[in-house]
Each structure stands twice: as structure tokens, then as C-alpha cells.
Amino acid sequence: QVQLVESGGGLVQPGGSLRLSCAASGFTFSRFPMTWFRQAPGKERELVALINSAGDTTKYADSVKGRFTISRDNAKNTVYLQMNSLKVEDTAVYYCSKPGSSGQGTQVTVSS
């Protein structure tokens, strides 16, 4: 049974940083690309970042490029999203996903 469990969300001031983690189980993690996406109330779901199975290729939404970094540790079955220089508009529920599955999400709120 595929499980993806996000953690690390919270309340942070504009300009601050957070590191999200997603612990994966129930599948061969190292074989799958992983993504982070987010959804804010009343807005479309947005793909934030993706990383290939080996961890050597990444892509980012223009809105987060240069501020967010996706990475993975295949030995720990975990994918990360380092978020720096956070903006109010980054406020959303963040989800990690693999093809066909996603987690329950973690809330990120950026507010002064």
C-alpha cells in the first residue's frame, strides 16, 4: 500500500524558510520521479517542483525558481522541499506525489 506522509509545514513570516519532508513507503521509491504540488483556497493546483528517480534532474515552476529546492534521499525513501525567501503567495497546502498517488498534504502559511 502506497503511503506518502508530508511534514514540516507551519506558519512563517515573509522572507523566512521551511523544509518540507515526504516519507514514502509501499513502493520502490528509487524507481519513481517525485513531485511537490500545492493548492491554495480557490486556486488551481500548481506543480511546484519535480525530481527524477536518480535525483539528478529537477524542474521548477517559474513562481518558485531560485527560491525552492527539491531533493531526495533514496536510502531514506524521502523527498524534500527546501523553501527559502517565502512570500505570502506561497501560502497553500503542499502535497508530495508519485504517479498515481499523493499524500494528505501539509499546510504552509506565510504571514506577518
Side-chain angles (χ1 to χ4, degrees):
Q1 180 180 356
V2 173
Q3 280 198 310
L4 298 167
V5 180
E6 302 93 340
S7 61
L11 173 64
V12 63
Q13 292 187 340
S17 298
L18 283 173
R19 188 193 196 202
L20 306 184
S21 299
C22 174
S25 61
F27 64 101
T28 307
F29 180 75
S30 61
R31 292 184 180 177
F32 289 87
M34 297 295 294
T35 62
W36 285 96
F37 65 94
R38 65 187 180 186
Q39 188 157 25
K43 293 189 176 181
E44 295 282 323
R45 189 175 74 173
E46 178 185 20
L47 179 64
V48 174
L50 68 88
I51 188 166
N52 70 341
S53 57
D56 56 7
T57 300
T58 58
K59 291 186 179 180
Y60 298 92
D62 287 343
S63 58
V64 307
K65 205 171 291 184
R67 300 187 297 121
F68 290 12
T69 303
I70 188 171
S71 62
R72 66 191 295 161
D73 186 336
N74 285 345
K76 295 182 177 180
N77 287 359
T78 302
V79 61
Y80 305 97
L81 186 67
Q82 177 68 43
M83 306 186 296
N84 298 329
S85 303
L86 282 160
K87 305 176 180 180
V88 171
E89 51 264 41
D90 294 319
T91 296
V93 179
Y94 284 71
Y95 303 85
C96 74
S97 72
K98 65 171 285 292
S101 302
S102 62
Q104 294 299 305
T106 185
Q107 176 71 47
V108 171
T109 302
V110 185
S111 174
S112 55

Coordinates of all heavy atoms in Angstrom, one line a residue, residues 6-46:
E6 N 3.6 13.8 4.4 CA 4.3 15.1 4.4 C 4.4 15.6 5.8 O 3.5 15.4 6.7 CB 3.6 16.1 3.5 CG 3.4 15.7 2.1 CD 2.0 15.0 1.8 OE1 1.4 14.5 2.8 OE2 1.6 15.0 0.6
S7 N 5.5 16.4 6.0 CA 5.6 17.0 7.3 C 6.5 18.3 7.1 O 7.1 18.5 6.0 CB 6.3 16.1 8.3 OG 7.6 15.7 7.9
G8 N 6.5 19.1 8.1 CA 7.4 20.3 8.1 C 6.7 21.6 7.8 O 7.3 22.7 7.8
G9 N 5.4 21.6 7.5 CA 4.7 22.8 7.3 C 4.5 23.6 8.5 O 4.9 23.2 9.6
G10 N 4.0 24.8 8.4 CA 3.8 25.7 9.6 C 3.6 27.1 9.2 O 3.4 27.4 8.0
L11 N 3.6 28.0 10.2 CA 3.5 29.4 10.0 C 4.9 30.1 10.0 O 5.7 29.8 10.9 CB 2.6 30.0 11.1 CG 2.5 31.5 11.1 CD1 1.8 32.0 9.9 CD2 1.7 31.9 12.4
V12 N 5.1 30.9 9.0 CA 6.4 31.5 8.8 C 6.2 32.9 8.3 O 5.2 33.2 7.6 CB 7.4 30.7 7.9 CG1 6.8 30.7 6.5 CG2 8.8 31.3 7.9
Q13 N 7.1 33.8 8.7 CA 7.0 35.2 8.2 C 7.5 35.3 6.8 O 8.4 34.5 6.4 CB 7.8 36.1 9.1 CG 7.2 36.3 10.5 CD 7.9 37.3 11.3 OE1 9.0 37.7 11.1 NE2 7.2 37.8 12.4
P14 N 7.1 36.3 6.1 CA 7.6 36.6 4.7 C 9.1 36.7 4.8 O 9.7 37.3 5.7 CB 7.0 37.9 4.3 CG 5.7 37.9 5.0 CD 5.9 37.3 6.3
G15 N 9.8 36.0 3.8 CA 11.3 36.0 3.8 C 11.9 34.9 4.6 O 13.1 34.6 4.5
G16 N 11.1 34.1 5.3 CA 11.5 33.0 6.1 C 11.7 31.7 5.2 O 11.5 31.7 4.0
S17 N 12.0 30.7 5.9 CA 12.3 29.4 5.3 C 11.6 28.3 6.0 O 11.3 28.3 7.2 CB 13.8 29.1 5.3 OG 14.5 30.1 4.6
L18 N 11.3 27.2 5.2 CA 10.8 26.0 5.7 C 11.3 24.8 4.9 O 11.6 25.0 3.7 CB 9.2 25.9 5.7 CG 8.4 26.7 6.7 CD1 6.9 26.6 6.3 CD2 8.6 26.2 8.1
R19 N 11.4 23.7 5.5 CA 11.8 22.5 4.8 C 10.8 21.4 5.0 O 10.5 21.0 6.1 CB 13.2 22.0 5.3 CG 13.7 20.8 4.5 CD 14.9 20.1 5.2 NE 15.6 19.3 4.3 CZ 16.4 18.3 4.7 NH1 16.4 18.0 6.0 NH2 17.1 17.6 3.9
L20 N 10.1 21.1 3.9 CA 9.1 20.0 3.9 C 9.8 18.7 3.6 O 10.8 18.6 2.9 CB 8.1 20.3 2.8 CG 7.4 21.6 2.9 CD1 6.3 21.7 1.8 CD2 6.8 21.9 4.3
S21 N 9.3 17.6 4.3 CA 9.7 16.3 4.0 C 8.5 15.4 3.6 O 7.4 15.7 4.0 CB 10.3 15.7 5.3 OG 11.5 16.4 5.7
C22 N 8.8 14.4 2.9 CA 7.7 13.4 2.5 C 8.3 12.0 2.6 O 9.2 11.7 1.8 CB 7.3 13.7 1.1 SG 6.1 12.5 0.4
A23 N 7.8 11.3 3.6 CA 8.3 9.9 3.8 C 7.4 9.0 3.0 O 6.2 9.0 3.1 CB 8.2 9.6 5.3
A24 N 8.1 8.2 2.2 CA 7.4 7.3 1.3 C 7.5 5.8 1.7 O 8.6 5.4 2.2 CB 7.9 7.4 -0.2
S25 N 6.5 5.0 1.5 CA 6.5 3.6 1.7 C 5.5 2.9 0.9 O 4.6 3.5 0.3 CB 6.2 3.3 3.2 OG 4.9 3.8 3.6
G26 N 5.7 1.6 0.7 CA 4.8 0.7 0.0 C 5.1 0.6 -1.5 O 4.3 0.0 -2.2
F27 N 6.2 1.2 -1.9 CA 6.6 1.0 -3.3 C 8.1 1.2 -3.4 O 8.7 1.7 -2.4 CB 5.9 2.0 -4.2 CG 6.2 3.5 -3.9 CD1 7.1 4.2 -4.7 CD2 5.6 4.1 -2.9 CE1 7.3 5.5 -4.5 CE2 5.8 5.5 -2.6 CZ 6.7 6.2 -3.4
T28 N 8.7 0.9 -4.5 CA 10.1 1.0 -4.7 C 10.4 2.5 -5.0 O 10.4 2.9 -6.2 CB 10.6 0.1 -5.8 OG1 10.2 -1.2 -5.6 CG2 12.2 0.1 -5.9
F29 N 10.7 3.2 -4.0 CA 10.8 4.7 -4.1 C 11.9 5.1 -5.1 O 11.6 6.0 -5.9 CB 11.2 5.2 -2.7 CG 11.4 6.7 -2.6 CD1 10.4 7.6 -2.6 CD2 12.7 7.2 -2.6 CE1 10.5 9.0 -2.5 CE2 12.9 8.6 -2.5 CZ 11.8 9.5 -2.5
S30 N 13.0 4.4 -5.2 CA 14.1 4.9 -6.1 C 13.8 4.7 -7.5 O 14.5 5.2 -8.4 CB 15.3 4.1 -5.7 OG 15.1 2.7 -5.9
R31 N 12.7 4.1 -7.9 CA 12.3 3.9 -9.3 C 11.4 5.0 -9.8 O 11.1 5.0 -11.1 CB 11.7 2.5 -9.5 CG 12.6 1.4 -9.3 CD 11.9 0.1 -9.5 NE 12.8 -1.1 -9.3 CZ 12.4 -2.3 -9.5 NH1 11.2 -2.6 -9.8 NH2 13.3 -3.3 -9.2
F32 N 10.9 5.9 -9.0 CA 9.9 6.8 -9.4 C 10.3 8.3 -9.3 O 10.9 8.7 -8.3 CB 8.6 6.6 -8.6 CG 7.9 5.4 -8.9 CD1 8.2 4.2 -8.2 CD2 6.9 5.3 -9.8 CE1 7.5 3.0 -8.5 CE2 6.2 4.2 -10.1 CZ 6.5 3.0 -9.4
P33 N 9.9 9.1 -10.3 CA 10.1 10.5 -10.1 C 9.1 11.0 -9.0 O 8.0 10.3 -8.8 CB 9.7 11.1 -11.5 CG 8.8 10.0 -12.1 CD 9.3 8.7 -11.6
M34 N 9.4 12.0 -8.4 CA 8.5 12.6 -7.3 C 8.3 14.0 -7.6 O 9.1 14.7 -8.2 CB 9.2 12.4 -6.0 CG 9.4 11.0 -5.5 SD 7.9 10.0 -5.3 CE 7.2 10.9 -3.9
T35 N 7.1 14.5 -7.2 CA 6.8 15.9 -7.3 C 6.2 16.5 -6.1 O 5.7 15.8 -5.2 CB 5.7 16.1 -8.4 OG1 4.5 15.4 -8.1 CG2 6.2 15.5 -9.8
W36 N 6.3 17.8 -6.0 CA 5.6 18.6 -5.0 C 4.6 19.4 -5.7 O 5.0 20.1 -6.7 CB 6.5 19.4 -4.1 CG 7.3 18.7 -3.1 CD1 8.6 18.3 -3.3 CD2 6.9 18.4 -1.8 NE1 9.0 17.7 -2.1 CE2 8.0 17.7 -1.2 CE3 5.8 18.6 -1.1 CZ2 8.0 17.3 0.1 CZ3 5.7 18.1 0.3 CH2 6.8 17.5 0.8
F37 N 3.4 19.5 -5.3 CA 2.5 20.5 -5.8 C 1.8 21.1 -4.7 O 1.9 20.7 -3.5 CB 1.5 19.8 -6.8 CG 0.6 18.8 -6.3 CD1 -0.7 19.2 -5.9 CD2 0.9 17.5 -6.2 CE1 -1.6 18.3 -5.4 CE2 0.0 16.5 -5.7 CZ -1.3 17.0 -5.3
R38 N 1.1 22.2 -5.0 CA 0.4 22.9 -3.9 C -1.0 23.4 -4.4 O -1.2 23.5 -5.6 CB 1.2 24.2 -3.5 CG 1.4 25.2 -4.5 CD 2.4 26.3 -4.0 NE 2.6 27.4 -5.0 CZ 3.5 28.3 -4.9 NH1 4.3 28.4 -3.8 NH2 3.6 29.2 -5.8
Q39 N -1.8 23.7 -3.4 CA -3.1 24.2 -3.8 C -3.6 25.2 -2.7 O -3.6 24.8 -1.5 CB -4.2 23.1 -3.9 CG -5.5 23.6 -4.4 CD -6.3 22.5 -5.1 OE1 -6.2 21.3 -4.8 NE2 -7.2 22.9 -6.0
A40 N -3.9 26.4 -3.1 CA -4.4 27.4 -2.2 C -5.9 27.5 -2.4 O -6.4 27.1 -3.4 CB -3.7 28.7 -2.6
P41 N -6.6 27.9 -1.4 CA -8.0 28.0 -1.4 C -8.5 28.8 -2.6 O -8.0 30.0 -2.9 CB -8.4 28.8 -0.1 CG -7.3 28.4 0.8 CD -6.1 28.4 0.0
G42 N -9.4 28.3 -3.4 CA -9.9 29.0 -4.6 C -9.0 29.0 -5.8 O -9.4 29.7 -6.7
K43 N -7.9 28.4 -5.7 CA -7.0 28.4 -6.8 C -6.7 27.0 -7.4 O -7.0 26.0 -6.7 CB -5.6 29.0 -6.4 CG -5.7 30.5 -6.0 CD -4.3 31.0 -5.8 CE -4.4 32.5 -5.5 NZ -3.0 33.1 -5.3
E44 N -6.2 27.0 -8.6 CA -5.9 25.7 -9.3 C -4.7 25.1 -8.6 O -3.8 25.8 -8.0 CB -5.6 26.0 -10.7 CG -6.7 26.5 -11.6 CD -7.7 25.4 -12.0 OE1 -7.2 24.3 -12.2 OE2 -8.9 25.7 -12.0
R45 N -4.7 23.8 -8.6 CA -3.5 23.1 -8.2 C -2.3 23.5 -9.1 O -2.4 23.6 -10.3 CB -3.7 21.6 -8.3 CG -2.7 20.7 -7.6 CD -3.1 19.3 -7.7 NE -2.9 18.7 -9.0 CZ -3.1 17.4 -9.2 NH1 -3.4 16.6 -8.3 NH2 -2.9 17.0 -10.5
E46 N -1.2 23.6 -8.4 CA 0.0 24.1 -9.1 C 1.2 23.1 -8.9 O 1.5 22.8 -7.7 CB 0.5 25.5 -8.7 CG 1.7 26.0 -9.3 CD 2.2 27.3 -8.7 OE1 1.8 27.7 -7.6 OE2 3.0 28.0 -9.4

